[in-house]
Amino acid sequence: MENDDPVPEEEARMIEELTTKAESNLREGNHYYVISNRWFMDWQRYIGKPLHAYPYNEHAQPSLLPNSATRPGPIDNSDIIVDNGSDDLQLLRTLEEGRDYVLVPQQVWEKLSEWYEGGPALPRKMISVGDANQLSVEVFPLCLNLFDTRDKSHKVIRLSKKASLHELYSIVCRLKGIAAEKARIWDYFDKKKQTELVASNQTLENSNLQMDQDILLEVHAEGSLPSGFGFDSTGNDLALVPVEPPRSSVTIAGGPTLSNGFSAGYSSIAYQGSSLNSTYGDMDDGCDSLRPTSKGERGGLAGLSNLGNTCFMNSALQCLVHTPPLAEYFLQDYTEEINRQNPLGMHGELALAFGELLRKLWSSGRTPVAPRAFKGKLGRFAPQFSGYNQHDSQELLAFLLDGLHEDLNRVKQKPYFETKDSDGRADEEVANELWRYHRARNDSVIVDICQGQYKSTLVCPDCNKVSITFDPFMYLSLPLPSTVTRTMTVTVFYSDGSGLPMPYTVNVLKHGYIKDLTQALESACCLRIDEYLLLAEVYDHRIFRYFENPTEILNSVKDDEHIVAYRLLKRVAQLTRLEICHRYQEKCVTDSSKASERKLFLTPLVTFLEDPRNGADIDFAVHKVLAPLRRKAFISSAPGLKDGAENGSPSETIEEPMNSCTIQFGCEGQSIEGIEPAGNSSMELAFHFCLTDERGTTCRPVAKDTVIQPFRMLKVMLDWTEKEYELYDASYLKDLPEVHKSGLTVKKTKQEAISLFSCLEAFLKEEPLGPDDMWYCPRCKEHRQASKKLDLWRLPDILVFHLKRFSYSRWLKNKLDTFVNFPIHNLDLSKYVKSKDTSDSHVYELYAISNHYGGLGGGHYTAYCKLIDDDRWYHFDDSHVSPVAESDIKTSAAYVLFYRRVKAQQNGVVGGSSQCHRSS
């Protein structure tokens, strides 16, 4: 470390300023640098806090991050690059931003590199993605495998997906040392010639080139065709493909592949008799018109190729294309319903891309389909799904349903309605009125078959104002109530000095929340109605973090951590919080010339100050909270106690304090309120302590007349001397128990199983809104933490259940592998529907499942879908499709469930297919 290197606080300030400046000047082409999160977290520990723009994925609040005295070594990116023995440094493909690496602006990299050196440098450019031109750093450039027909060699080329075909030709020709006019480059996806990539300004992204796919180089003499031109490796004729068809504002994506599985290229027949102009599409395979199409022989059994972590997309798509009314709709001529003017839609392009992909899947037999064009459209309109990272199939499903609805909305000019409050009107009247308003603005096949309505009741906790609304839904996200419990031990401290600390062991739901732990402790420690508990984690004799968010999941608390709870009066919640840490003096016996060091020990204490003005106020508060620890021989010798003996000689003895559930005062029937502050007759305080900052790096001694500013929180270091050891029993503050101490013989918990009905009831139960989701009460004119109750009112023909297996908090990401027992047939929801309208059946049967296997980041998606006509189930695992027994489709991987309404009995037959859509 150089002598002129800045101190940690100065480094933090400079990097924060550089980052803020870069964020205010974002533009395409800016350079960012990739830094290993392992090294960057070490640096954040060194400066003592995570910076606002960068993640810190260990559970630490910014103000409580422990400062490390160790300055990190040189920047080390070795853990995030592929060790291929070459100078071509590449990032590992499995990396995740925030978990494995951070992105810093060029100016930040240069400053960190100046201070620490190291590397290697991994620069990346900022590009615009999607139609909205959102700016994003291209961490993983496009990787293409170049095959040379002359010597059968191959070479990996890496360049931005925003690069043009001109740039691709320039790089290839320079690499191979050939003239541009002699080169022809082909899209060689799946080892087949798809179409020629003609040098133009078209980007690689718009050419549907995928990560790690092949491109083919053919070199020929000027004026002659290369050997084998016009044929792929099997000799199939591909010479009749227009190299660059004309385009229009509306394109058709997809079309059926030929019966032999080889593509007919990017050409397209002009649509006749439709509302669209003659159009050529950017398709992977051939495309027919939108004239009504029937399902091909054994249709619906085609898989979808994985284009690089696209299993999430394939799973959602297979469930949608096997939705009977959707399949029937898109196999008909739906062009009259394309809404190209809808500002909320995607100019009809998403619906056209999905429709053509569905047609290919239903007419290509068992030949897998590569959804390249569809993925290209998806990346344009939803940049969050661009690239090659794993995503969530339910999030994609939500986007597709909403996007398809807007692209197919039959309403071209949406009318305006002013919603009215229920004002005591009958629920049926209000619900029907709001449904009419909704349908007047939203009218599509998606609304016809997928949208229902639920009733939402909010009650103000202060004035009891009741607000009832009826809202549409496209799917229901159901929580997974846990049945597995967890034993947790927490030590409870009295913040008013009225009792000794006491550990309590409680049982809580394993996948519960901090509020569940708090409620269990409140019962166990006999908490009074005028008290509340403040939970905190103690690490290295400091308060590492407070648990002040009741909705934080309990999985963020590990078994080997030490958790405490402070009993506080509710009336002091808005006062100044005083946090007391303890230090002792350690003498250096090895070197008498060195000064003794002060080290932290014991458990921190927390109390509150009412209008603190000087050091004497803090001194009295410390004396008060330590009162229960006074040894009984010195219980009456406290400074300030009337008639107390001089020099600490005992004048009376008392028994040890009673059980903490019943004790109210630290001194046998005498309220501690009656004890006067110590040191009234002199300028000395009873204790030696100093004020410190949040990280404990500074220490300002406090005297009786030291002026105290009334901050939200004060932190003091209490220095223990021989006097404190003599007066107080420190053993009560030592050796905190762990949350859970695993024994040698622990019974293995069986896999928990819950029913779909339990999940639905958990979704519908009444519960208070979270602190971050307050409701504005029109009567109180204030935001209130109202209670909310949901009820099902109107159910759609296609009912989708999303099982909330993934939970996210500031501290942790988690996946629940709970087995949910869901009905396959005869799912009867009658008792959950509050509407009196009985015209529609409330009985459903399952027809598709989106599955997720594995953990976060590295999991895999598949789908189970039922071919209704065959009454058989199939497993869709990307391009692989295989039959599966109905008895095997219930697994703990089930993530999104698709049900279709069973129609009321007609002519002695129960069931029947749903109508595909309303007539236009």
Side-chain angles (χ1 to χ4, degrees), residues 295-403:
K295 296 177 182 178
E297 183 181 359
R298 304 300 299 165
L301 292 180
L304 287 164
S305 301
N306 193 315
L307 306 177
N309 279 333
T310 56
C311 59
F312 77 97
M313 180 181 78
N314 294 347
S315 173
L317 286 173
Q318 290 289 10
C319 292
L320 284 182
V321 300
H322 286 88
T323 297
L326 276 184
E328 294 173 21
Y329 177 87
F330 281 101
L331 290 173
Q332 302 300 314
D333 182 356
Y334 57 93
T335 58
E336 293 296 329
E337 297 195 341
I338 294 291
N339 189 335
R340 291 190 287 169
Q341 285 76 42
N342 188 353
L344 300 178
M346 279 134 275
H347 319 298
E349 293 188 50
L350 182 68
L352 291 167
F354 176 80
E356 291 309 312
L357 179 60
L358 181 145
R359 287 167 173 244
K360 285 190 286 185
L361 289 170
W362 277 102
S363 60
S364 63
R366 291 179 177 265
T367 304
V369 175
R372 294 195 299 162
F374 180 83
K375 185 180 185 303
K377 296 289 185 186
L378 187 65
R380 275 183 55 198
F381 297 117
Q384 66 269 30
F385 298 117
S386 63
Y388 301 92
N389 292 327
Q390 185 68 275
H391 294 283
D392 190 312
S393 68
Q394 187 273 333
E395 291 179 1
L396 174 66
L397 176 71
F399 168 79
L400 285 179
L401 289 176
D402 187 63

Side-chain angles (χ1 to χ4, degrees), residues 306 310-319 390 393 848-854 859-865 874-880 882 884 889 891 893-896 898:
N306 193 315
T310 56
C311 59
F312 77 97
M313 180 181 78
N314 294 347
S315 173
L317 286 173
Q318 290 289 10
C319 292
Q390 185 68 275
S393 68
I849 308 171
S850 175
N851 302 303
H852 181 271
Y853 298 90
H860 180 62
Y861 288 92
T862 68
Y864 291 132
C865 299
Y874 291 88
H875 185 210
F876 293 82
D877 186 355
D878 289 332
S879 58
H880 181 70
S882 58
V884 61
I889 66 172
T891 71
Y895 182 43
V896 186
F898 294 76

Side-chain angles (χ1 to χ4, degrees), residues 91-152:
L91 293 173
L92 293 167
R93 289 286 182 84
T94 57
L95 301 182
E96 182 180 324
E97 184 179 0
R99 183 193 69 186
D100 304 300
Y101 68 89
V102 294
L103 294 168
V104 302
Q106 181 173 348
Q107 300 91 325
V108 171
W109 164 259
E110 291 171 349
K111 185 58 68 176
L112 289 174
S113 185
E114 174 189 330
W115 292 334
Y116 295 95
E117 300 182 335
L122 301 169
R124 294 294 186 269
K125 278 189 176 181
M126 180 169 278
I127 62 173
S128 62
V129 294
D131 273 11
N133 291 322
Q134 298 179 17
L135 293 177
S136 175
V137 178
E138 188 175 32
V139 178
F140 296 96
L142 192 61
C143 179
L144 300 173
N145 298 312
L146 175 67
F147 280 82
D148 193 330
T149 57
R150 297 172 299 175
D151 55 9
K152 309 301 181 187

